[in-house]
Amino acid sequence: MTILEAVEARHMVRKYKDISLSEAVIKNLNERVEMNNSNYNLNIKLMVDNKKGVSGIAKLVLSKGVKNYFILAGDEAPDLDERLGYCSADLVLYAQTLGLNTWYVGGMFNRSVSQYVEGRKVVGVIAVGYGQTEGIPHKSKTAFDVSMYDGEVPEWFVSGIKTALLAPTALNKQNFTISGKDNKVKIENENGIFTGVNRGLVKYHFELGAGKSNFEWV
């Protein structure tokens, strides 16, 4: 499975089988984490066989068997949330190519996990493992709802919007607008706690669908 194919296959999964990650899978995930940390100056960390990732309420009501997760962390900076959102999209889709399932945990992660990343800012965690199901598609907005283009719409823009609509935004609200003219593209988000993270997630997906060589962000 390619990363682009993983976009279609990925769905939120909150309940996991009691199956440990193999050494090979852990190695692959850690290498991907290190690549993102190095390229984007972050401190993301993979936790294995550790059940502290989600809050007590989430464990009681929503989730089951979460014992592996990425801690999304980095040093405070104006664009930190966006960088973490961008790289978390890469990790989620990469995990999907390995046959794993994921759940982006924003408001319901356990704040105590900050102890594992030396005081860096933590914006959330991503549960990862073998899901009890593959998840299901959620209701989505249309391209008309979230995009506009000045002029004849190029195919790359259409593909970018299609892929962006599959990004796992907070509460599946998809509160973003992407506009384009010639090869210039702009993204705007409604302000909120997860604005930066959502922008990063959507940017990654749009780039994946549109092809980074076809446009530039403004």
Side-chain angles (χ1 to χ4, degrees):
M1 183 186 296
T2 66
I3 292 287
L4 190 56
E5 289 170 339
V7 174
E8 295 277 357
R10 182 213 65 83
H11 304 295
M12 178 180 65
V13 174
R14 289 172 168 164
K15 296 182 179 180
Y16 294 85
K17 298 175 182 177
D18 187 19
I19 300 176
S20 297
L21 303 182
S22 69
E23 290 185 7
V25 166
I26 293 170
K27 179 177 181 292
N28 288 335
L29 292 176
N30 275 322
E31 287 177 350
R32 196 75 173 196
V33 166
E34 180 55 35
M35 180 190 76
N36 278 286
N37 283 341
S38 177
N39 290 342
Y40 295 93
N41 191 28
L42 297 170
N43 301 94
I44 299 170
K45 185 172 183 177
L46 173 66
M47 301 298 295
V48 177
D49 290 329
N50 181 305
K51 298 182 179 181
K52 296 181 179 180
V54 298
S55 68
I57 293 177
K59 289 178 182 177
L60 287 172
V61 179
L62 294 174
S63 67
K64 183 178 180 181
V66 175
K67 61 179 182 178
N68 310 300
Y69 53 93
F70 300 105
I71 303 175
L72 304 177
D75 292 321
E76 288 272 10
D79 66 340
L80 173 63
D81 287 15
E82 182 173 324
R83 283 183 283 126
L84 286 171
Y86 188 92
C87 291
S88 65
D90 181 75
L91 292 173
V92 163
L93 295 175
Y94 179 69
Q96 190 75 37
T97 69
L98 299 179
L100 300 168
N101 303 101
T102 54
W103 169 31
Y104 198 110
V105 189
M108 291 181 290
F109 76 94
N110 185 347
R111 269 62 180 175
S112 72
V113 299
S114 62
Q115 67 184 294
Y116 302 122
V117 287
E118 300 177 354
R120 266 82 177 194
K121 179 182 177 182
V122 179
V123 302
V125 306
I126 300 172
V128 58
Y130 296 98
Q132 292 187 7
T133 70
E134 291 298 315
I136 58 174
H138 286 76
K139 184 178 180 181
S140 175
K141 292 182 178 180
T142 67
F144 180 80
D145 295 324
V146 302
S147 68
M148 60 187 74
Y149 192 88
D150 186 355
E152 184 177 349
V153 186
E155 186 59 36
W156 61 261
F157 188 83
V158 174
S159 297
I161 295 300
K162 178 183 177 182
T163 309
L165 283 168
L166 294 172
T169 55
L171 303 177
N172 197 42
K173 287 187 175 181
Q174 299 177 308
N175 288 334
F176 63 87
T177 302
I178 297 176
S179 55
K181 181 179 181 180
D182 299 326
N183 71 326
K184 304 293 194 297
V185 178
K186 181 179 181 180
I187 181 171
E188 296 177 282
N189 295 72
E190 290 186 11
N191 289 327
I193 296 173
F194 299 108
T195 296
V197 172
N198 285 341
R199 186 184 297 114
L201 285 163
V202 174
K203 274 190 170 183
Y204 183 96
H205 281 72
F206 183 87
E207 290 178 5
L208 193 60
K212 293 171 72 173
S213 63
N214 288 318
F215 75 98
E216 60 180 294
W217 293 109
V218 295

